[in-house]
Amino acid sequence: MDARTAHANREYNNLYRLGNELYHNVAVRMGLSDSAFDILYALDGLGDGCLQKDVCTALGLSKQTVNTSVHKLERAGYVELRVEHGRGTHLHLTEAGRVLVTERIRPVARAEEAAFAAMAPGECEELLRLSRVYLEHLRGLVDALPYPERR
């Protein structure tokens, strides 16, 4: 790896870490775990009554992680679990959950939208295009790595 590539890789990884740190700090300020914040954010986007498996897919989190966090949100009074039509577990916000999402989660989503809106025309598209290119290259290279057999 040449010096330019190594520097770019370190800088990109640092930016990724800083983004994760930003969201972690937001969740902590709200008194939520990272996964609880993510689940409430996803619920707001996917819609009340969405399937728990859709939350897993949307967030790229394991079923176990989502299930654990959902049960904590349920105990805290923010989410209700319902089996509807015999097909999967549906997640519903309680009244307290709707208030939490309205007052805390949606302002973060609006801030994200405002950050994109503050970018010059074309910068958003370029950021997204380059992120897709990077992920496509990375996925191909990572998929080609030899992995040891699980024991």
Side-chain angles (χ1 to χ4, degrees):
M1 179 181 324
D2 65 35
R4 181 192 62 81
T5 303
H7 173 75
N9 183 57
R10 281 191 305 275
E11 186 171 353
Y12 182 84
N13 285 337
N14 190 51
L15 290 169
Y16 182 81
R17 183 191 60 74
L18 289 171
N20 285 340
E21 184 179 286
L22 174 73
Y23 285 98
H24 169 75
N25 291 338
V26 167
V28 167
R29 284 174 40 200
M30 292 179 186
L32 298 169
S33 68
D34 293 356
S35 57
F37 173 85
D38 290 342
I39 289 165
L40 292 168
Y41 188 103
L43 268 172
D44 191 43
L46 294 169
D48 198 40
C50 67
L51 288 168
Q52 186 168 319
K53 71 177 185 172
D54 293 336
V55 171
C56 295
T57 301
L59 297 175
L61 294 175
S62 72
K63 183 178 176 181
Q64 181 179 4
T65 297
V66 170
N67 194 48
T68 299
S69 290
V70 162
H71 283 294
K72 287 179 183 175
L73 287 167
E74 184 181 34
R75 285 191 298 277
Y78 297 125
V79 173
E80 291 177 347
L81 304 173
R82 298 183 204 153
V83 176
E84 298 172 0
H85 314 294
R87 300 191 58 184
T89 303
H90 294 259
L91 304 178
H92 293 272
L93 292 170
T94 63
E95 183 57 35
R98 283 190 286 282
V99 168
L100 179 65
V101 165
T102 300
E103 292 179 354
R104 307 261 174 109
I105 304 298
R106 287 186 187 154
V108 174
R110 286 194 297 275
E112 292 169 336
E113 292 167 5
F116 269 106
M119 297 171 79
E123 287 180 336
C124 295
E125 292 79 11
E126 187 69 359
L127 174 63
L128 296 172
R129 185 187 73 76
L130 291 173
S131 295
R132 283 190 291 272
V133 168
Y134 172 76
L135 286 172
E136 183 179 319
H137 287 300
L138 183 59
R139 185 177 292 117
L141 292 165
V142 168
D143 287 348
L145 291 173
Y147 290 100
E149 302 241 352
R150 289 185 171 202
R151 295 180 188 215

